[in-house]
Amino acid sequence: MSRIVIALGGNALGKTPLEQQAAVKNTTGSIIDLLEEGHQIVLTHGNGPQIGMINLAFELATASKEKTPAMPFPECGAMSQGYIGYHLQNALGREIRSRGITKSVATIVTQVVVDPNDVAFSRPTKPIGSFYSEKEAASLKAEKGYEMVEDAGRGYRRVVPSPLPVDIAEKDIIKNLVDCGQLVITCGGGGIPVIRDGDQLKGIPAVIDKDFASEKLAEMIEADFLVILTAVERVALNFGSAREKWLAQMTVKEAKEYCAQGHFASGSMLPKVKASLQFVASGKNKKSLITSLEKVKEGLSGRTGTIIVKH
Ligand code: ADP
Ligand code: MG
């Protein structure tokens, strides 16, 4: 029996509710197979496209004549956790019942604590929401204090910081449920970013990388295996070039060298490789796998994917 944290990529979940329901179905069977084999499973997921959609919908509705309140970014994150969690627990619940398994699945709205002194706060990098003209961007900056940057010739966008996860507010209840063998969906979108203020946790506009949050969770609940599912079957060196080489395995040392050599794109594959090597280095007999949503079964049986091992 292993304790496995499985992180689902937000980009592999599709762009609409219908696409998302279809994408979720692809993984349901494999996840419940693992549960049936006696493994303890915790699911995490990304939310980039989904929180973008929620944020944009509120921006448009707030600007219209209808009286829709402005929705703060942490609240948009909470909505995305509920929306994605609902589809996941609906599909997984159905599979559990159809196999007569006596376990339950639930989504936990998760707050992830970040350090207000994290260097990320001095350099916001994550673009969110709509595109604006230079003039609109200037007035948003003046009115709301948003940090605005030009995004690849497509217009101006708001950017928020991407701090590292420090603690998971709901970690005890997550651990309790996993100890009982229940299936838990948590840390959606990297968690709702909060900072500690005395007894209070305050939501802030930021994006925690879901790969780093999943790694933190895997360490905190003493998981054996961190599985990161995304849109590619394996990690590559020289990705997208004529010298592209797909990797079946990397040691921690090799992974660090490849990171330093710039093989992995910073907003996409780099956090996955860094999260994997950090997890593997964090204890004895820990391993990590990066593969695609569709190939999860073959990946877990060692037939595909990129496995990250200590030595
Ligand atoms: P997710 O939503 O799962 O976090 P991302 O789009 O953030 O997905 O990251 C996965 C993407 O990273 C892949 O689909 C691929 O296009 C890209 N990528 C960048 N560098 C590499 C690499 N060296 N090997 C494989 N994929 C890479
Ligand atoms: Mg990503």
Side-chain angles (χ1 to χ4, degrees):
M1 190 271 293
S2 298
R3 181 169 286 197
I4 311 173
V5 172
I6 304 178
L8 302 175
N11 290 310
L13 286 173
K15 290 194 184 74
T16 67
L18 274 177
E19 281 180 22
Q20 183 168 289
Q21 266 173 322
V24 160
K25 272 202 190 128
N26 281 336
T27 50
T28 310
S30 315
I31 291 166
I32 302 304
D33 285 350
L34 292 171
L35 201 68
E36 231 177 357
E37 286 163 22
H39 299 297
Q40 295 175 337
I41 310 292
V42 186
L43 272 185
T44 67
H45 59 82
N47 73 344
Q50 297 79 7
I51 196 173
M53 171 180 76
I54 294 166
N55 188 242
L56 181 60
F58 273 99
E59 276 180 14
L60 295 175
T62 309
S64 80
K65 288 193 194 69
E66 308 300 328
K67 288 202 166 51
T68 304
M71 195 55 67
F73 196 65
E75 276 74 355
C76 292
M79 287 182 189
S80 76
Q81 288 187 346
Y83 158 58
I84 300 169
Y86 156 54
H87 277 176
L88 285 169
Q89 73 188 37
N90 185 279
L92 292 163
R94 184 178 171 184
E95 189 75 21
I96 286 174
R97 287 188 298 277
S98 78
R99 298 195 197 185
I101 301 170
T102 52
K103 284 181 177 163
S104 325
V105 52
T107 303
I108 295 181
V109 174
T110 316
Q111 306 172 90
V112 173
V113 181
V114 300
D115 177 358
N117 297 315
D118 192 307
V119 286
F121 287 104
S122 58
R123 194 172 34 87
T125 51
K126 280 267 179 193
I128 58 166
S130 344
F131 289 92
Y132 296 97
S133 69
E134 193 176 349
K135 209 170 143 213
E136 288 168 328
S139 65
L140 277 172
K141 192 169 180 161
E143 267 171 44
K144 302 193 175 173
Y146 289 175
E147 196 70 40
M148 306 293 292
V149 296
E150 220 284 317
D151 188 349
R154 296 177 295 177
Y156 284 79
R157 284 179 95 186
R158 181 181 180 194
V159 281
V160 296
S162 188
L164 289 171
V166 174
D167 194 11
I168 298 168
E170 291 76 19
K171 62 177 182 286
D172 291 339
I173 193 150
I174 297 168
K175 203 154 184 268
N176 284 340
L177 287 169
V178 180
D179 284 342
C180 302
Q182 307 295 4
L183 181 48
V184 183
I185 301 157
T186 179
C187 289
I192 303 161
V194 295
I195 50 174
R196 279 193 212 286
D197 183 5
D199 285 342
Q200 222 198 327
L201 296 176
K202 279 191 175 162
I204 53 158
V207 174
I208 301 167
D209 196 296
K210 74 106 181 21
D211 300 312
F212 292 138
S214 306
E215 192 281 330
K216 187 60 127 187
L217 172 76
E219 272 193 51
M220 284 185 155
I221 65 167
E222 291 163 13
D224 311 291
F225 202 0
L226 172 64
V227 178
I228 301 181
L229 302 180
T230 184
V232 285
E233 194 173 326
R234 279 190 162 141
V235 179
L237 297 181
N238 307 307
F239 179 66
S241 83
R243 289 184 300 128
E244 186 174 75
K245 185 181 166 217
W246 298 100
L247 299 168
Q249 188 178 309
M250 293 187 267
T251 63
V252 167
K253 185 167 172 274
E254 285 166 344
K256 279 184 182 165
E257 284 164 12
Y258 300 148
C259 287
Q261 289 161 7
H263 285 286
F264 314 125
S266 65
S268 55
M269 190 48 79
L270 186 63
K272 298 184 202 314
V273 175
K274 278 190 171 169
S276 296
L277 74 86
Q278 200 171 317
F279 176 66
V280 173
S282 75
K284 261 193 199 158
N285 300 325
K286 298 200 185 266
K287 54 184 181 165
S288 180
L289 169 76
I290 301 174
T291 191
S292 68
L293 225 56
E294 296 78 27
K295 296 286 167 125
V296 56
K297 256 190 124 160
E298 285 164 77
L300 287 167
S301 60
R303 281 176 286 150
T304 190
T306 305
I307 190 112
I308 296 91
V309 292
K310 202 157 196 168
H311 303 291

